[in-house]
């Protein structure tokens, strides 16, 4: 074997080991060390001082959805390490039992993976390949995962983002079972509204097929959360194309907004027809509280606001 071939083979083997080894995430290059920094403590103290619905009270579970906004210039996302302290303060103060995230780019994954605390990914990532951008994080102190899975939508080119991720959970304190599906539907382009609507409708059908399968298998309350890229419309039957798939979703599930005993929203956005993030429910539960954290302090985190529901199973 000549020297050039030896160097080439060595380089290829090194690259394969680098890509496939789970230990890659222990390398300093992926550590940002912002979690317990000054910004985190200051933001956390401010949230505790404001004390806006930090406790879930008598509810059994708190389910949250958040589009993190990937660090892609074309998408408008700023560097993750400049805003991740807001995410960790949000997580540690509000303590969701389940957190469905969308647009979790590679930088977001590394930040969260290095600072998991008691939180775990439903589907752990063990290699350096780009992570699936839609996933579920859960509090391992309060919940146990019974089953889980994920499927990319077949009618999209963005398989990392456009998918449904699901998990069956058991509440450790009460042994109650519930199911969460997290998704991120395709964007509704106004110039191609008919085509995009049909694509969204197909994705909703896939979502509901998964829902029915899980409902048959487990007979437990189901929560379908995420960035649906479709807005609520009061007269959605008359404007189904321009409003996306909300009408279909609302006929298959019940919007938590229609069930909530109490609703809270910050100063920048209320519950109105412009919200793309939703929590849909199938099953008999009590929605004690539905909160949209649209305060000024969360503006720097993402172009979406955290949305959560406190549920009595």
């Amino acid at each position: 074997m000549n020297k050039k071939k030896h160097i080439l083979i060595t380089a290829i083997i090194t690259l394969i080991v680098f890509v496939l080894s789970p230990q890659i995430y222990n390398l300093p290059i992926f550590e940002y060390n912002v979690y317990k920094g000054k910004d985190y403590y200051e933001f956390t103290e401010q949230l505790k001082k404001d004390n806006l619905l930090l406790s879930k009270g008598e509810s059994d579970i708190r389910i949250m959805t958040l589009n993190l906004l990937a660090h892609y210039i074309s998408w408008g996302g700023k560097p993750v390490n400049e805003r991740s302290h807001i995410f960790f303060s949000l997580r540690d103060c509000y303590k969701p039992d389940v957190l469905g995230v969308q647009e979790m780019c590679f930088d977001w994954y590394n930040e969260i993976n290095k600072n998991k605390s008691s939180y775990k990914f439903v589907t752990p990532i063990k290699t350096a390949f780009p992570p699936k951008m839609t996933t579920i994080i859960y509090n391992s102190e309060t919940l146990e995962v019974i089953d889980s899975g994920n499927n990319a939508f077949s009618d999209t080119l963005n398989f990392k983002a456009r998918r449904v991720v699901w998990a069956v959970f058991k509440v450790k304190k009460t042994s109650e079972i519930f199911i969460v599906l997290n998704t991120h539907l395709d964007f509704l382009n106004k110039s191609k509204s008919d085509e995009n609507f049909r694509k969204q409708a197909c994705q909703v059908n896939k979502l509901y097929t998964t829902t029915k399968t899980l409902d048959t298998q487990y007979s437990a309350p189901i929560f379908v959360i995420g960035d649906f890229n479709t807005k609520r419309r009061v007269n959605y039957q008359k404007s189904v194309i321009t409003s996306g798939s909300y009408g279909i979703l609302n006929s298959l599930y019940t919007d938590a907004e229609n069930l909530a005993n109490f609703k809270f929203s910050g100063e920048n956005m209320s519950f109105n027809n412009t919200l793309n993030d939703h929590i849909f429910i199938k099953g008999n539960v009590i929605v004690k509280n539905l909160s949209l954290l649209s305060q000024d302090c969360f503006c720097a985190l993402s172009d979406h606001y955290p949305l959560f529901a406190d549920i009595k199973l």
Side-chain angles (χ1 to χ4, degrees), residues 12-35:
I12 291 173
I13 293 173
T14 302
L15 179 61
I16 292 173
V17 171
F18 180 78
V19 169
L20 297 180
S21 172
Q23 300 305 315
I24 185 173
Y25 293 114
N26 292 324
L27 296 178
I29 189 173
F30 292 112
E31 295 189 46
Y32 296 102
N33 299 319
V34 300
Y35 180 32

Side-chain angles (χ1 to χ4, degrees), residues 116-131:
K116 291 191 291 289
S117 184
S118 62
Y119 285 84
K120 295 181 179 180
F121 290 101
V122 163
T123 307
I125 302 167
K126 300 182 181 300
T127 74
F129 289 116

Side-chain angles (χ1 to χ4, degrees), residues 91-105:
R91 184 196 69 184
D92 295 348
C93 287
Y94 281 91
K95 294 181 171 59
D97 297 286
V98 177
L99 175 53
V101 295
Q102 306 87 43
E103 294 192 21
M104 185 186 71
C105 61

